[in-house]
Amino acid sequence: MKSKIMYIENKSKGHHGFAWIGFVEFSKSGQTVYFDGKALKKLKNPGTWGNHFDIETGEEYWISGVKKNGQNRHQFGGGKIMIDKNSIDEYLKLVDFDILDEKNFTIIE
């Protein structure tokens, strides 16, 4: 399976849901994303809130590439973004800053 760093946000609480930046893996077809023990399947008709859903719980998720300006949260959303410590170096290569602003991120194992 192919691995890539992505932004993942649980949309069950609107724009303030839990959010992560980390490595995900894709199914062969690219329709399912595997992250943190979850299988997130692409919605056939993406809604306003999410573009994937958890096949076990039905919760919607927004999954996208990371933005170069670091503004991954929706403009009306808020909260810290959890970032896998193993993905920080790769993340910093993709964005337009050199250090991780810890007021916006929580580093996780």
Side-chain angles (χ1 to χ4, degrees):
M1 282 191 263
K2 187 177 177 184
S3 180
K4 185 176 180 181
I5 192 167
M6 301 291 283
Y7 173 76
I8 304 101
E9 184 176 332
N10 183 320
K11 301 306 277 185
S12 64
K13 293 185 175 28
H15 299 306
H16 300 281
F18 290 113
W20 303 264
I21 291 177
F23 286 102
V24 303
E25 292 184 335
F26 294 90
S27 65
K28 194 180 261 189
S29 68
Q31 298 298 304
T32 305
V33 174
Y34 299 97
F35 173 75
D36 194 32
K38 298 172 183 34
L40 307 171
K41 185 143 178 92
K42 187 175 268 194
L43 286 167
K44 291 189 188 316
N45 297 310
T48 306
W49 295 100
N51 56 7
H52 288 74
F53 70 96
D54 185 321
I55 61 171
E56 285 187 18
T57 67
E59 290 181 310
E60 285 191 24
Y61 284 78
W62 181 261
I63 301 176
S64 66
V66 296
K67 294 183 180 175
K68 283 189 167 256
N69 65 5
Q71 301 297 315
N72 292 288
R73 282 275 193 189
H74 188 277
Q75 65 181 353
F76 300 117
K80 284 190 170 186
I81 298 171
M82 294 174 272
I83 186 166
D84 182 333
K85 80 174 196 171
N86 296 322
S87 64
I88 293 173
D89 290 340
E90 183 73 21
Y91 176 71
L92 291 174
K93 289 178 191 174
L94 295 171
V95 295
D96 286 336
F97 43 92
D98 299 325
I99 59 170
L100 202 60
D101 185 352
E102 292 192 27
K103 71 178 181 191
N104 295 322
F105 294 94
T106 298
I107 299 170
I108 58 173
E109 295 290 324

